Amino acid sequence: MTARVLIGLSILAVLWGSAFPVIKIGLEGFSPPHLTLARHLVASACFVPFLLLTGRRIWPERRDLGYFLLLGVCGITIYHLGLNYGEQRVSAGATSLIIATAPALTAIVAFFLIDERLPKLGWAGIGTSFVGVLLIVWGDSRGIRFDPFALLILLSAVSTAFYFTLQKRMFSRYKAVEVTAFATWAGTLPMLLFLPGFPSALAEVAAPPLLATIYIGVFPSAVAYTLFSYALSQAPVTLVTAYLYTVPIFSLLLSWLLLGEVPSLLTVFGGAVAIVGIVMVNRAKRAQQRLPRQVAGARS
């Protein structure tokens, strides 16, 4: 994995980590469907000038329209509606834990859909990182309180695992930013069903929820999703998604800086364990990539 990809994933982790507390602010002024619609209208608008100014294509090939609709529904529509509805009732700690299952779910989906195999050390790394996230949640002073709405967040984790895996096949013909833009536009289309009442809600919303919505539309959506697609175009999906275990770490750190919520020692330790797991996955994938070259060298 190149330094450029690592830098991009680090920025992505910060942006996605910031999304959880900022979504809470947005929900103070919008209902979940209106927040989801507003966020992705902002994100969709961001891609138009960028694609035009950089000379990228602004429309996918006709044969790929259905596939991008599938990507958008999985990674945008279902994921964000489930997350926004779920965050109304589920604690932040439990939400982080459930979403943290996405890398493991992605590894399973990638195995069946694109035959991307992960060595035993890689699975051990995923398990280690998940334990680290579990420790982060246990160290959260607010504790864990599961709710039936947690099933919506689990649905989000499953849908995003399919989104991460399915978009890999598009990078042979599309740039990462194009894949993200077309999937975002496709995922925003079903949200237009929430237009009734949206103009009046937009006119009445206070400044903090409105600014929060604009922020999550530009940065955690448009920018971070593009960075993630770029990383997926350069590295195996199981390796890239393993870095998502750092998102709860940055989420807790930003909650500390922005909201004054001081993390416990157990939380800090959990973050360290999660990072160790990522290192294990990274080493496993590197060893797996070296093996074919060693075999080829021995045969020659």
Side-chain angles (χ1 to χ4, degrees):
M1 188 176 290
T2 66
R4 181 179 297 181
V5 173
L6 288 173
I7 292 172
L9 287 172
S10 298
I11 297 172
L12 176 150
V14 174
L15 295 179
W16 276 355
S18 70
F20 287 98
V22 178
I23 285 173
K24 292 284 189 181
I25 298 174
L27 287 171
E28 293 176 359
F30 287 108
S31 65
H34 284 163
L35 176 64
T36 310
L37 173 61
R39 172 179 181 172
H40 290 93
L41 286 176
V42 172
S44 296
C46 288
F47 288 112
V48 176
F50 182 85
L51 293 177
L52 291 174
L53 291 174
T54 57
R56 307 292 185 189
R57 69 177 86 190
I58 61 172
W59 194 252
E61 297 178 20
R62 180 177 298 181
R63 60 175 175 167
D64 296 325
L65 290 175
Y67 198 83
F68 276 113
L69 181 60
L70 174 63
L71 285 179
V73 170
C74 287
I76 305 299
T77 312
I78 296 177
Y79 175 80
H80 288 282
L81 283 174
L83 184 63
N84 289 343
Y85 271 107
E87 276 207 89
Q88 285 190 310
R89 294 271 298 272
V90 181
S91 69
T95 299
S96 298
L97 174 60
I98 297 168
I99 293 298
T101 62
L105 292 171
T106 302
I108 296 171
V109 173
F111 174 79
F112 285 103
L113 294 187
I114 60 176
D115 197 30
E116 184 173 301
R117 299 176 183 273
L118 191 64
K120 292 181 179 179
L121 179 62
W123 285 107
I126 286 179
T128 300
S129 290
F130 186 77
V131 170
V133 173
L134 182 61
L135 292 174
I136 290 173
V137 176
W138 278 349
D140 183 355
S141 59
R142 289 163 292 183
I144 304 176
R145 181 182 61 83
F146 284 102
D147 186 278
F149 273 55
L151 293 176
L152 293 174
I153 300 175
L154 179 60
L155 175 63
S156 294
V158 173
S159 67
T160 202
F162 278 93
Y163 173 73
F164 293 156
T165 305
L166 291 173
Q167 65 176 296
K168 285 284 288 185
R169 63 174 291 187
M170 307 308 292
F171 296 131
S172 61
R173 291 184 288 115
Y174 294 91
K175 298 294 185 182
V177 67
E178 295 170 344
V179 172
T180 308
F182 301 153
T184 299
W185 293 345
T188 304
L189 282 176
M191 299 178 193
L192 297 179
L193 293 173
F194 306 131
L195 274 175
F198 178 70
S200 59
L202 186 62
E204 297 172 0
V205 69
L210 179 61
L211 292 175
T213 303
I214 294 173
Y215 170 81
I216 59 177
V218 174
F219 295 102
S221 283
V223 175
Y225 268 83
T226 300
L227 290 173
F228 193 79
S229 293
Y230 172 74
L232 283 178
S233 70
Q234 302 295 314
V237 61
T238 48
L239 177 57
V240 173
T241 54
Y243 282 80
L244 297 183
Y245 284 116
T246 62
V247 171
I249 299 172
F250 286 105
S251 181
L252 286 166
L253 178 62
L254 291 170
S255 295
W256 177 26
L257 295 175
L258 297 176
L259 306 176
E261 298 175 351
V262 181
S264 67
L265 290 177
L266 182 58
T267 295
V268 175
F269 178 71
V273 172
I275 293 174
V276 168
I278 292 172
V279 173
M280 293 171 64
V281 175
N282 203 344
R283 288 174 63 94
K285 294 301 292 186
R286 286 182 178 178
Q288 186 183 48
Q289 291 168 355
R290 285 197 301 267
L291 184 60
R293 292 197 295 268
Q294 294 172 351
V295 173
R299 289 177 178 175
S300 62

